[in-house]
Structure formats: C-alpha cells, structure tokens
Amino acid sequence: MKIKKTLERIPGGMMVVPLLLAATINTLAPDLLRIGGFTEALFVDSANALIALFLLCTGAQINVKMFGVSLAKGATLLTTKWVVGAAVGLIAYMFAGDNGLWLGIAPIAVIAAMTNSNGGLYMALVGQYGGKDDRAAYSLLALNDGPFLTMVALVIFGTMGFVEGLFSPLTFIAVLLPIIIGMILGNLDEDMRSFLEQGSSMLIPFFAFALGMGIDFQAIIEGGLGGIALGLMTVFITGTAGYMIFKALKWNPIVGAAEGSTAGNAVATPAAIAAANASFASMVDIATVQVAASTVTTAILLPLYIAFLVKRLERKGFMFDNGSLIRKEALRSDG
C-alpha cells in the first residue's frame, strides 16, 4: 500500500486526513482510544506536547545567516502577510456576534490562517516563476510558522481592548521558548538543523490526530463552510495584497502573490494559543477545523490564481526570464 504517497496527493493530506479520521472516531466511538496507558497518552492527550516539539523543530529551520540574503523581499512578504491578516482578524473581532463568530468564522482562525503561509507551495510557485533571491527569502518567511505572529496580533488587540484575555509576558515567552531553543540549536549546528527538520513534517499527522480526538462532526459541519470562506479570503486578500505591493516596488508580483496560502502547521495554532490562555479554549475546535479547511482550499486555489495572474501578465506583453518579469519588447530590443 502507498499510504504516504496517497496522503501527499491530497492537499494538506498529512494533516487533514488524520484530523478527520480522529474526528470520525471521536464522533462514532469516543471511548475507543480512551483506554489509558500509552494508547491514550499518544492518540488523545499528546497534542500540546507534540505541538511544542513541532515548534522546536520548526524554530531550528530559521537560519539567521540567511537574513542578509533577500532581506528586503522576505521582510516585505512577511510584513504584508501579517498586516493584512491581522487587519482582517481585527475586523473579525470588532464585528463578531454573540456566538463569538464573524460571518461564521472564528476570529482566531482568521489570524492563524491569514498570517501563516505554506512554505512548500511558495517554494514550488517561486521555483517556477521566481529567482534565487525570491527562493532565499523563504529563510525569513519561516518566522510566520507557528503561533508567534498570531500571538503578537492578539497582544496588540488586547492592548487596544478588542480581545479579552491579554497574554502576560510569561505566557508569551512560554509559547515562544520552544521556537527560540530550536532556532539556537539549528544555528549552532547545521547537523542539528537537518536532524530536527525531519520533525517538522513527521509530527504533523500525530498532533493532527490528537487534535481531531477533541472534535466531533458537529464542529466540522459548523466550521466547514466558514473554513472554505477563510481559504478564499486568504488567497484573494493576502495574495492580491502581496501582488500589488511587489508590483509597486517593481519586483516580480507573482512572488508576492505566492504567499496567499495557509500552511498545514497553522492547524496547531488555535490549540497552542488556548494552551497559553484558557480564555480562547471555547473556540479551539471550530478554529482548528476552519484553519484545516483553509489549508486545503488555498492549496487547491492558489496555484489556479497564480496561473490566472501569469496569463494576465503575458497578455499584457510580459514574460518571465530567470525569475525576472520583463516586457517582450525590451527583450527583443536587447537582442
């Protein structure tokens, strides 16, 4: 059986399939794996520990030596993604109803999904339409993995009075410390970075399953359409914002649009936030499902949106040459 290859053919499959499988078990036979011992410890109660380890492994991939390479592009992508995602999240909090939802979407899911990006998808798209500088920018984009930028937004919103349950400095550090430790280890030793890199992908299906054991199908039904809408907003709002900013700076705008996605690891963010502050716990189930739905939606839709933008540029007389966007007339005149 080709289990791994089958999962990889499904957008976000390593995260979505275990999550839905566990949710199915939890809905139909909630006590099946709650039998104590190692079984319950791994498949039911392990989410926080596995997420913490995942954050450490992710932190190890942040290479400070690469900050000088394509720093401007990476910082622009990172800032644009966070500002736009946080702004939409702020709107969601301001206009959330009595049930805590905005247009059926959990505000914490908005921030988690729209400020995070799928690095693999970015690299695939930039590998086709971008240059070396654009690919090198990924080292800085690793900063939007995990709950860090989501927590920054929540701290700011809490200070402004829009969000209850402001994080204390200690809880903020408690969530970030695994990332910091991982970053230190990875930058002190390249072998440690390579070793821990395996955990970045290997842990995803395990903590996704554990998260799924806290979800039932009622939450999936409630969150499914909202998650798809969240994916649409992520692609068309953050992707278009990146496109326009890069175009204004006279860089390849396709690279800016390539950040319009949600990564599978963002599914862990609501649980990580709630672990740091229990006031967010009531939204964890629906936010987790919506972030998962956004991951799948953006993985399918963003490449199609990029293809549309590329065709649009080509109709306007542009072409791609070694990662640069140039007019065909200029290329012929040089020749």
Side-chain angles (χ1 to χ4, degrees):
M1 295 180 66
K2 303 293 184 180
I3 297 175
K4 183 173 180 290
K5 289 184 178 180
T6 301
L7 291 176
E8 289 173 342
R9 283 197 291 266
I10 301 170
M14 281 292 184
M15 175 272 302
V16 173
V17 173
L19 183 78
L20 295 180
L21 175 60
T24 302
I25 294 173
N26 190 55
T27 301
L28 301 179
D31 296 326
L32 181 64
L33 298 177
R34 290 181 170 88
I35 57 175
F38 294 137
T39 297
E40 186 168 350
L42 176 61
F43 294 113
V44 180
D45 300 329
S46 62
N48 286 344
L50 292 178
I51 290 170
L53 182 56
F54 168 78
L55 294 177
L56 189 148
C57 294
T58 299
Q61 309 314 308
I62 301 174
N63 189 348
V64 296
K65 294 179 181 178
M66 296 294 291
F67 280 6
V69 180
S70 303
L71 180 61
K73 290 184 177 181
T76 301
L77 283 168
L78 190 70
T79 302
T80 301
K81 182 79 169 170
W82 182 82
V83 169
V84 173
V88 179
L90 178 58
I91 293 172
Y93 270 111
M94 291 174 64
F95 295 99
D98 294 336
N99 60 357
L101 303 178
W102 172 68
L103 302 178
I105 308 173
I108 191 174
V110 173
I111 304 173
M114 295 187 73
T115 61
N116 183 287
S117 60
N118 188 326
L121 187 56
Y122 170 84
M123 291 297 286
L125 294 169
V126 169
Q128 183 174 357
Y129 298 110
K132 293 181 179 179
D133 289 346
D134 303 313
R135 292 191 289 274
Y138 177 66
S139 62
L140 190 61
L141 297 178
L143 288 172
N144 73 15
D145 285 348
F148 172 60
L149 293 182
T150 301
M151 289 190 71
V152 170
L154 291 173
V155 168
I156 293 173
F157 297 165
T159 304
M160 297 168 62
F162 291 109
V163 181
E164 296 181 0
L166 181 64
F167 290 95
S168 69
L170 185 60
T171 56
F172 190 69
I173 293 171
V175 173
L176 295 184
L177 195 55
I179 299 176
I180 295 171
I181 292 172
M183 188 167 67
I184 292 172
L185 289 173
N187 282 277
L188 288 177
D189 186 353
E190 287 289 338
D191 291 336
M192 283 298 296
R193 174 179 289 121
S194 299
F195 170 70
L196 292 171
E197 183 179 11
Q198 302 172 58
S200 297
S201 56
M202 186 191 73
L203 291 169
I204 290 176
F206 293 98
F207 72 65
F209 189 95
L211 288 173
M213 285 301 295
I215 298 172
D216 60 32
F217 275 117
Q218 185 62 37
I220 295 176
I221 293 171
E222 292 174 356
L225 292 178
I228 293 172
L230 179 56
L232 292 172
M233 289 192 296
T234 300
V235 170
F236 292 117
I237 297 178
T238 66
T240 302
Y243 180 93
M244 298 305 294
I245 293 292
F246 264 53
K247 183 179 180 181
L249 293 172
K250 300 189 184 304
W251 292 333
N252 183 348
I254 297 300
V255 175
E259 269 285 88
S261 64
T262 300
N265 56 37
V267 72
T269 295
I273 297 297
N277 192 315
S279 64
F280 295 94
S282 62
M283 287 291 161
V284 168
D285 287 359
I286 191 169
T288 298
V289 172
Q290 289 178 341
V291 173
S294 179
T295 298
V296 178
T297 302
T298 59
I300 296 171
L301 185 59
L302 182 60
L304 299 176
Y305 185 46
I306 292 293
F308 165 78
L309 293 174
V310 169
K311 291 293 184 183
R312 186 169 176 267
L313 288 169
E314 290 175 345
R315 286 197 299 268
K316 291 185 175 182
F318 289 94
M319 66 177 296
F320 295 90
D321 182 49
N322 292 324
S324 298
L325 187 66
I326 58 175
R327 285 192 177 274
K328 294 179 182 179
E329 292 82 354
L331 185 64
R332 285 196 292 267
S333 64
D334 290 341

